[in-house]
Amino acid sequence: MNRDASSCNTYDYGDAVYWDARYQQEADSFDWYQRYAALRPFVRKFISTSASVLMVGCGNAVMSEDMINDGYEDIMNVDISSVAVDIMRRKHQFIPQLKYMEMDVRDMSFFPDEKFDAVVDKGTLDALMCGTDASISAAKMLGEVSRLLKPGGVYLLITYGDPKARMPYLMRPSYNWKIALFIIPRPGFQRPEGCNTPEKPYLEPVPLTDNGLLLPSFVIEDPDSHFIYVCRKMDDSDLNNIAPYPLSVDVL
C-alpha cells in the first residue's frame, strides 16, 4: 500500500496563492484529519505542557487553541498563507500563549537552531507532497524541522502517508531521529459487524520491519487510517548508543 500520489489532486498545495484564495472563501475553522480530542493522548504522552511548540502549517485549525485550553503554554504557529495568519492573529489576539507568523516551512531561517522542544505537523508535509517538486520540498521542510528541534525534542507528524511513502523521508541519518509509528482510524470509523479479531490498542506503537515498513502480516482495519510518526531527535546520550535505522519503537 502506498497512500501518497493517489491522495493528491491537481491543486498545488505548496503554493501560497492557492491557500490565500481558499482561506478567503472558507472562513470557518477546519482541522485536517483528526481533532485534538483524538490526538490528545499522543500529544500529552510525548510533549510536555511547558514545551515550546512550533505548529507548522497551522491554517485556521483550532488545534493550537485546544492545546492551550489543555494547559500548553507556548505555541508558535506558522503558515504560508498571509490570509490565514491574519485571521488567526485577530482571533487569538488576547491569548498571549498563541503567536502567529507568515512563513514557508521550507525556509524557517528566521528561527535559530534548536529553538523548539516540539514540532507538530497535521497535514503540512502531505500538502507539500502534493505540490510541485514534492521530494525537494519535503526534504527542505524536514531538514528545517530537524534543525529547529532541541536534542530530545519531538516531531509529531500526523499524515495519511503510510510507512512506504513517508519512512524514506523521515529515516535520513542526518536528522538523528528515533521513530515510532502509531495508527488511528479516521473519525467515525466503525468496525465491521461480526469482526472477531481483537481491537488494536492505538496507543501501542506498530512493529516495523528492518526497512521501516509494516510487517506483511499487519492488517490495517480502516483503509483510511491516519498515521502518527513520533520522531525524537537524539541527544548526546542516545548518540553514544546509536543503533542502525529504523530503531526499535520501544526506545522513545
Side-chain angles (χ1 to χ4, degrees):
M1 178 176 66
N2 189 322
R3 293 169 42 200
D4 203 24
S6 62
S7 300
C8 296
N9 55 33
T10 57
Y11 297 118
D12 185 354
Y13 287 155
D15 186 357
V17 174
Y18 167 80
W19 290 110
D20 283 345
R22 178 161 177 168
Y23 289 122
Q24 285 172 342
Q25 296 170 1
E26 302 175 10
D28 293 338
S29 297
F30 179 78
D31 267 281
W32 293 81
Y33 305 160
Q34 302 277 346
R35 297 297 297 267
Y36 181 64
L39 298 173
R40 183 180 186 271
F42 302 95
V43 176
R44 293 301 295 257
K45 181 178 178 64
F46 295 108
I47 302 176
S48 166
T49 55
S50 62
S52 57
V53 179
L54 174 65
M55 183 75 66
V56 291
C58 62
N60 62 1
V62 298
M63 180 163 173
S64 293
E65 181 181 354
D66 288 340
M67 288 177 65
I68 294 300
N69 291 336
D70 196 28
Y72 285 86
E73 302 170 1
D74 180 16
I75 303 179
M76 169 60 73
N77 301 270
V78 300
D79 199 279
I80 197 172
S81 170
S82 61
V83 174
V85 168
D86 288 344
I87 290 172
M88 300 304 282
R89 189 179 282 151
R90 289 195 303 269
K91 179 181 178 182
H92 296 135
Q93 59 183 309
F94 300 116
I95 305 178
Q97 303 95 323
L98 289 174
K99 296 172 283 292
Y100 291 87
M101 291 189 67
E102 178 186 350
M103 189 173 295
D104 188 332
V105 295
R106 292 165 289 196
D107 179 7
M108 296 186 281
S109 53
F110 175 86
F111 298 123
D113 295 356
E114 300 180 0
K115 167 72 173 174
F116 297 99
D117 298 301
V119 177
V120 179
D121 172 0
K122 186 150 65 79
T124 299
L125 180 62
D126 290 2
L128 291 180
M129 294 298 294
C130 288
T132 56
D133 298 322
S135 295
I136 295 174
S137 291
K140 286 181 177 179
M141 173 186 162
L142 293 174
E144 284 290 83
V145 169
S146 177
R147 180 183 69 81
L148 293 177
L149 275 178
K150 297 177 182 178
V154 168
Y155 173 42
L156 188 68
L157 169 64
I158 300 98
T159 171
Y160 61 68
D162 65 24
K164 189 174 181 181
R166 291 292 176 265
M167 279 299 200
Y169 294 94
L170 299 175
M171 288 171 53
R172 294 189 176 183
S174 60
Y175 300 153
N176 291 328
W177 287 346
K178 294 181 179 180
I179 304 172
L181 172 66
F182 303 83
I183 301 177
I184 58 175
R186 68 186 184 277
F189 171 72
Q190 299 291 328
R191 301 185 80 210
E193 290 187 17
C195 182
N196 296 321
T197 58
E199 188 171 353
K200 292 182 172 65
Y202 302 129
L203 279 171
E204 287 189 10
V206 175
L208 300 171
T209 68
D210 290 342
N211 295 322
L213 304 180
L214 295 173
L215 298 175
S217 59
F218 186 84
V219 176
I220 299 179
E221 293 181 341
D222 176 14
D224 294 317
S225 290
H226 295 123
F227 299 82
I228 299 176
Y229 298 86
V230 179
C231 309
R232 187 169 74 84
K233 186 174 182 179
M234 289 189 285
D235 55 25
D236 290 341
S237 62
D238 294 312
L239 292 172
N240 290 334
N241 238 337
I242 194 167
Y245 276 76
L247 294 158
S248 172
V249 294
D250 62 0
V251 297
L252 285 172

